[in-house]
Amino acid sequence: MEANSLSDFRSGFVTLVGRPNVGKSSLINAIMGEKISIISDKPQTTRHQIRCIYSAEGVQIVFVDTPGLLRRPRHRLGEFMVDEAVRSLEGVDVVCYVVEAGDREICGDDMAIVEILKKTSTPVFLVVNKIDLLQKKGSFWHAVALYQDLVKPKEIVPVSAVTGTNLDILIEKIISYLPQQPPLYPEDIVTDKDERFIAAETIREKIFLLTGEEVPYSVTVDVEEYKTPEEYPDRKAVYIRATIYVERDGQKAIIIGSGGKMLREIGRLAREELEFKLGHKVYLELWVKVRPHWRKSERELRRLGYRA
Ligand SMILES: Nc1nc2c(ncn2[C@@H]2O[C@H](COP(=O)(O)OP(=O)(O)OP(=O)(O)O)[C@@H](O)[C@H]2O)c(=O)[nH]1
Ligand SMILES: [Mg+2]
């Protein structure tokens, strides 16, 4: 390393906030070049703050993925998710407010976000995602016009998480707002979450993919045992035992499926992805249990890992 390179180093925290489903997690994964946060076409997929650490020459950006902000959460879990997103605004260097290029009116959730952003003194970027879906190039300016006066963003960046368009520009602009300071994390670390969390999230993502209506929202996954082959020499695979909690018997029946077909499919998809991520064979054991009203109970939420 050159003599002055460490003093030139820039690093900082950047949070992505926005209403559910605008592509916050997709954007962070695209920037990272690997999937860390789970994604689905259903709103309210992300439930926790997840730090994703982007390290490049002379710079480290700690991106904070957050749950989609809602004006009116419907239960204690929803309140926890909103708290997670709002808390992410504290102590960061840049806030990326993510909206969609196709937005033609401001919904209640976005109005609530705008009110929250008005109170922050942190630089706000307006990140207009999904420009790949626009029929006419440049028509993202309609969306910009909607938000610009309300948010007074320092920067406006139209992007696409799917095609990767302008992500390099977004990174360049973020870097110019970061303080000169040493890296915040070791350079080989990509997230603050451990393997148990990633395993639970991967299973939850497959449930979001394969089930509909209330079912994915009634689900939480608890990884009860996670053993590497070094810890478990009689097995050659990473051994993961997880319980899928639902709120009602009917939801349990759907998750299991006829003859256990659905649960096998959830397990297969989750196992294949975890094997790819870990570069190791995985033995995944899944159980399904009913825990009535867990989303409404403070005690249950804490027990199931939703702690502020
Ligand atoms: N066409 C297109 N689709 C996108 C883009 N970015 C995200 N999506 C899709 O939008 C949906 C939501 O993406 P997520 O990344 O889960 O959105 P999110 O904002 O993290 O959602 P929550 O966690 O629920 O708040 C998924 O179906 C993505 O594939 C994009 O740039 N273009
Ligand atoms: Mg998300």
Side-chain angles (χ1 to χ4, degrees):
M1 203 175 270
E2 287 168 36
N4 66 345
S5 61
L6 203 56
S7 60
D8 289 342
F9 202 94
R10 283 173 188 258
S11 66
F13 288 94
V14 177
T15 188
L16 273 75
V17 295
R19 67 176 192 271
N21 217 39
V22 291
K24 300 174 293 297
S25 303
S26 302
L27 278 169
I28 294 181
N29 288 343
I31 290 169
M32 296 295 296
E34 68 177 290
K35 186 167 156 202
I36 297 172
S37 276
I38 63 165
I39 286 169
S40 89
D41 60 359
K42 300 180 178 73
Q44 291 184 270
T45 304
T46 306
R47 289 181 180 167
H48 300 262
Q49 273 189 30
I50 302 169
R51 288 184 179 177
C52 299
I53 302 137
Y54 170 89
S55 294
E57 179 138 16
V59 63
Q60 185 176 74
I61 311 172
V62 182
F63 287 100
V64 187
D65 191 14
T66 67
L69 267 163
L70 290 175
R71 186 168 50 155
R72 284 201 201 95
R74 286 194 296 135
H75 37 60
R76 187 64 197 99
L77 172 66
E79 288 167 13
F80 166 86
M81 288 160 63
V82 168
D83 287 350
E84 282 282 274
V86 173
R87 278 195 306 116
S88 80
L89 297 165
E90 290 163 21
V92 294
D93 301 285
V94 174
V95 176
C96 288
Y97 174 29
V98 185
V99 298
E100 286 189 20
D103 289 354
R104 292 296 174 264
E105 57 183 46
I106 300 187
C107 67
D109 293 336
D110 276 299
M111 281 312 295
I113 299 169
V114 165
E115 289 310 311
I116 292 167
L117 293 181
K118 276 183 184 163
K119 293 183 201 136
T120 176
S121 54
T122 309
V124 175
F125 286 17
L126 183 63
V127 177
V128 186
N129 190 30
K130 307 196 186 182
I131 56 167
D132 58 291
L133 294 179
L134 295 175
Q135 302 291 333
K136 278 197 221 121
K137 229 179 155 196
S139 57
F140 61 83
W141 286 110
H142 295 299
V144 171
L146 273 184
Y147 299 100
Q148 193 170 21
D149 288 346
L150 293 168
V151 183
K152 309 238 174 345
K154 289 273 190 275
E155 305 283 352
I156 297 167
V157 195
V159 295
S160 166
V162 164
T163 61
T165 310
N166 292 347
L167 295 183
D168 50 348
I169 294 173
L170 178 61
I171 291 170
E172 281 310 309
K173 286 189 189 288
I174 287 171
I175 292 171
S176 68
Y177 285 78
L178 298 184
Q180 286 189 348
Q181 58 180 2
L184 301 154
Y185 284 89
E187 279 178 37
D188 56 343
I189 290 196
V190 291
T191 176
D192 65 331
K193 297 294 184 201
D194 62 13
E195 282 106 349
R196 276 174 179 255
F197 180 87
I198 302 285
E201 287 288 89
T202 305
I203 298 162
R204 202 165 64 78
E205 185 188 63
K206 304 315 166 200
I207 297 168
F208 262 74
L209 179 73
L210 295 172
T211 67
E213 317 252 317
E214 261 309 275
V215 177
Y217 298 105
S218 320
V219 160
T220 192
V221 179
D222 189 25
V223 170
E224 281 146 355
E225 210 174 335
Y226 188 106
K227 288 247 161 59
T228 60
E230 296 83 60
E231 294 169 284
Y232 221 139
D234 54 327
R235 292 183 196 256
K236 291 201 170 55
V238 176
Y239 173 73
I240 303 171
R241 180 165 54 85
T243 299
I244 299 168
Y245 288 102
V246 289
E247 290 192 315
R248 291 199 299 269
D249 286 331
Q251 294 160 349
K252 178 175 172 177
I254 292 169
I255 294 283
I256 292 172
S258 100
K261 207 170 156 208
M262 177 63 92
L263 192 60
R264 273 200 300 282
E265 187 63 358
I266 292 165
R268 184 183 68 81
L269 292 177
R271 179 178 49 75
E272 283 176 5
E273 188 165 319
L274 287 167
E275 285 181 342
F276 175 76
K277 273 189 180 152
L278 298 169
H280 209 293
K281 278 217 96 42
V282 168
Y283 182 88
L284 180 60
E285 192 178 308
L286 290 179
W287 296 86
V288 189
K289 287 185 189 159
V290 177
R291 204 161 276 254
H293 308 301
W294 69 263
R295 284 184 291 175
K296 294 189 177 139
S297 155
E298 185 74 37
R299 218 186 63 190
E300 290 290 352
L301 285 168
R302 283 180 182 279
R303 212 187 66 76
L304 293 165
Y306 299 93
R307 290 185 200 93

